[in-house]
């Protein structure tokens, strides 16, 4: 079977397979990007962006089937929602970048990744990313909750790991009152109960 060659902006021929491998290399960059919030608060050995997305994907398996949502779609959303960071980095509110500018940068990054991934896979990835950004489905709303929950779970894990109980309160404060799904709220309540108990026992 003859490989179809295309010519990129530099005049260099590239096949769909070459683009796919380029896409894989771009995704590899995520492994080297540490989550900015943990870097800023100086936790030791901060997690990478895909560390965060992987645990979100695993957490999606624990969503009760009775909710009626598509858990496979939630898992996919979890695995791609921060994909643009392989190009733009982990932009946080402390970077003084407006929401509109952050969205513009990430949209351009996703369009670049979509082109490399090809028409079928690329379109699926871009559609999932837009769905998450626009919070247009129940599945996207679940992923937003998982995103916030995974962060406070990680904060609690770091507090225990470094024996600094209560030191990462800001991450709990910034998610307060923002969870939408009752099941995730139950997870949050149990996490906070365990954390409060540990803090009291350490005093």
């Amino acid at each position: 079977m003859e490989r179809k060659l295309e010519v990129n902006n530099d005049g260099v021929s590239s096949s769909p397979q070459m683009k796919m491998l380029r896409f894989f290399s771009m995704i590899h960059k995520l492994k080297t990007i540490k989550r900015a919030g943990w870097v800023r608060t100086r936790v030791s050995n901060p997690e990478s962006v895909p560390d965060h997305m992987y645990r979100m994907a695993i957490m999606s398996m624990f969503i009760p089937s009775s909710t009626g949502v598509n858990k496979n779609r939630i898992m996919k959303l979890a695995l791609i929602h921060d994909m643009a960071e392989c190009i733009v980095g982990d932009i946080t509110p402390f970077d003084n970048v407006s929401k509109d500018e952050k969205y513009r940068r990430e949209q351009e990054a996703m369009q670049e990744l979509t082109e490399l991934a090809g028409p079928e896979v690329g379109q699926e990835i871009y559609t999932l990313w837009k769905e998450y950004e626009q919070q247009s489905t129940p599945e996207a709303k679940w992923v937003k909750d998982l995103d916030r929950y995974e962060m406070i779970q990680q904060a609690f894990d770091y507090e225990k790991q470094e024996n600094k109980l209560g030191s990462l309160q800001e991450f709990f404060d910034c998610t307060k009152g923002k969870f939408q799904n009752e099941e995730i709220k139950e997870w949050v309540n149990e996490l906070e109960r365990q954390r409060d108990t540990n803090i009291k026992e350490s005093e």
Side-chain angles (χ1 to χ4, degrees):
M1 183 176 179
E2 184 178 356
R3 291 194 307 172
K4 181 180 178 181
L5 294 181
E6 299 178 4
V7 178
N8 64 23
N9 291 334
D10 298 322
V12 179
S13 296
S14 63
S15 67
Q17 291 80 8
M18 291 169 67
K19 286 186 174 184
M20 179 182 69
L21 295 185
R22 173 64 175 160
F23 173 83
F24 292 161
S25 292
M26 295 292 287
I27 297 304
H28 161 74
K29 292 181 181 180
L30 284 172
K31 297 181 181 181
T32 68
I33 299 174
K34 301 297 184 181
R35 294 262 286 166
W38 310 130
V39 174
R40 179 179 56 80
T41 50
R42 299 183 179 181
V43 301
S44 60
N45 192 28
E47 66 171 349
S48 68
V49 172
D51 290 333
H52 164 66
M53 294 195 291
Y54 173 77
R55 185 156 68 167
M56 283 177 61
I58 294 297
M59 286 175 171
S60 72
M61 298 174 68
F62 290 83
I63 296 172
S65 298
S66 59
T67 59
V69 293
N70 184 331
K71 291 201 287 185
N72 287 335
R73 190 169 188 82
I74 290 173
M75 188 178 294
K76 286 184 177 182
L77 285 162
L79 289 171
I80 63 89
H81 79 287
D82 281 340
M83 187 178 284
E85 293 180 14
C86 70
I87 295 175
V88 303
D90 186 9
I91 301 171
T92 75
F94 293 90
D95 295 316
N96 294 318
V97 175
S98 70
K99 287 185 178 181
D100 287 345
E101 174 61 15
K102 179 176 182 291
Y103 180 82
R104 185 193 67 78
R105 294 182 191 181
E106 291 182 348
Q107 184 178 41
E108 286 186 358
M110 291 305 296
Q111 288 170 342
E112 179 179 345
L113 291 168
T114 294
E115 198 277 331
L116 290 173
E120 183 176 349
V121 177
Q123 187 57 52
E124 180 182 17
I125 288 172
Y126 188 76
T127 298
L128 288 165
W129 178 79
K130 288 278 285 187
E131 178 181 334
Y132 175 75
E133 286 294 314
Q134 295 174 356
Q135 289 291 282
S136 58
T137 63
E139 286 79 7
K141 290 179 171 61
W142 271 97
V143 176
K144 178 62 76 174
D145 268 5
L146 288 174
D147 186 36
R148 290 171 175 145
Y149 177 79
E150 200 286 330
M151 182 181 70
I152 61 173
Q153 174 75 61
Q154 188 62 63
F156 183 44
D157 292 339
Y158 281 140
E159 288 180 343
K160 292 185 295 180
Q161 173 184 303
E162 304 194 355
N163 197 27
K164 295 180 179 178
L165 300 179
S167 62
L168 296 173
Q169 182 62 40
E170 64 180 277
F171 295 94
F172 291 85
D173 290 342
C174 73
T175 61
K176 206 75 172 177
K178 293 184 178 180
F179 294 96
Q180 303 175 69
N181 294 286
E182 293 303 319
E183 291 82 358
I184 300 290
K185 290 178 183 179
E186 291 178 6
W187 298 5
V188 173
N189 290 338
E190 177 59 23
L191 180 69
E192 291 182 339
R193 186 194 66 77
Q194 290 186 23
R195 181 170 180 259
D196 289 343
T197 298
N198 287 3
I199 292 172
K200 289 175 182 176
E201 289 176 350
S202 69
E203 293 174 348

